[in-house]
Amino acid sequence: MATERTLSIIKPDATRRNLTGKINARFEEAGLRIVAQKRVQLTKAQAGQFYSVHAERSFFGELVDFMISGPVVVQVLEGEGAVARNREIMGATNPANAAPGTIRADFAESVEANSVHGSDSAENAAIEISYFFSGCEIVG
Ligand code: RTP
Ligand code: MG
């Protein structure tokens, strides 16, 4: 499998509980390298654009409000099959369905406040990484 990059976001429920280091340890223990990282407070417009694929979903307004409820840590993870590997260690969207030992099983509060985001395809990863980072901010 090729070396890939994926976009990860540590969501406001996790930054509020000071879990950034514990979540980052999960990535590193799984062989993913954090090759870019910054802590930002998203605006409503930025969060809405990032999640625009969900604009028609019933939960869109609540999702945007949640994503701007506190700081997030946006990061680029690099490694073998990073997109799928990250989705594996994140666990299912709803923590009630997430496999034991996954980030969401261990840390998420609810289906919405589920601690992390991860790109769902290599194509979306490229789009999402370029949304937050310029080339010179990513150091592999
Ligand atoms: P993400 O995009 O954040 O990595 O999560 P995902 O792929 O596992 O889930 P997705 O279907 O893309 O949904 C995006 C985020 O919206 C919130 N959500 N709320 N209230 C609900 O039923 C509901 N469903 C989804 C979650 O924060 C989810 O991660
Ligand atoms: Mg998604």
Side-chain angles (χ1 to χ4, degrees), residues 51 54 87 117-118 120:
Y51 275 122
H54 295 310
R87 299 285 295 186
H117 161 84
D120 59 12

Side-chain angles (χ1 to χ4, degrees), residues 3-140:
T3 297
E4 268 182 349
R5 288 175 173 172
T6 190
L7 185 88
S8 167
I9 304 179
I10 300 179
K11 295 184 178 183
D13 66 287
T15 60
R16 180 168 41 77
R17 288 175 289 149
N18 213 18
L19 292 171
T20 300
K22 284 195 171 132
I23 291 174
N24 279 348
R26 300 292 181 100
F27 299 140
E28 293 184 339
E29 283 158 9
L32 296 173
R33 303 182 74 85
I34 302 163
V35 296
Q37 176 166 261
K38 57 190 171 189
R39 183 173 169 103
V40 293
Q41 171 65 54
L42 296 178
T43 65
K44 196 161 193 152
Q46 287 167 335
Q49 194 185 337
F50 181 77
Y51 275 122
S52 59
V53 62
H54 295 310
E56 304 307 321
R57 308 276 286 273
S58 59
F59 59 78
F60 178 72
E62 283 173 18
L63 173 59
V64 169
D65 286 343
F66 164 62
M67 290 299 288
I68 66 173
S69 66
V72 298
V73 176
V74 294
Q75 47 194 190
V76 180
L77 308 180
E78 183 181 85
E80 294 283 299
V83 173
R85 185 84 189 96
N86 185 37
R87 299 285 295 186
E88 261 173 39
I89 64 179
M90 287 163 57
T93 308
N94 186 341
N97 303 326
T102 60
I103 293 169
R104 284 167 166 168
D106 291 346
F107 300 124
E109 295 182 317
S110 67
V111 65
E112 177 178 81
N114 60 4
S115 302
V116 282
H117 161 84
S119 306
D120 59 12
S121 67
E123 188 189 5
N124 283 336
I127 295 167
E128 293 178 0
I129 289 169
S130 67
Y131 188 66
F132 286 111
F133 294 98
S134 66
C136 67
E137 291 179 306
I138 305 168
V139 184

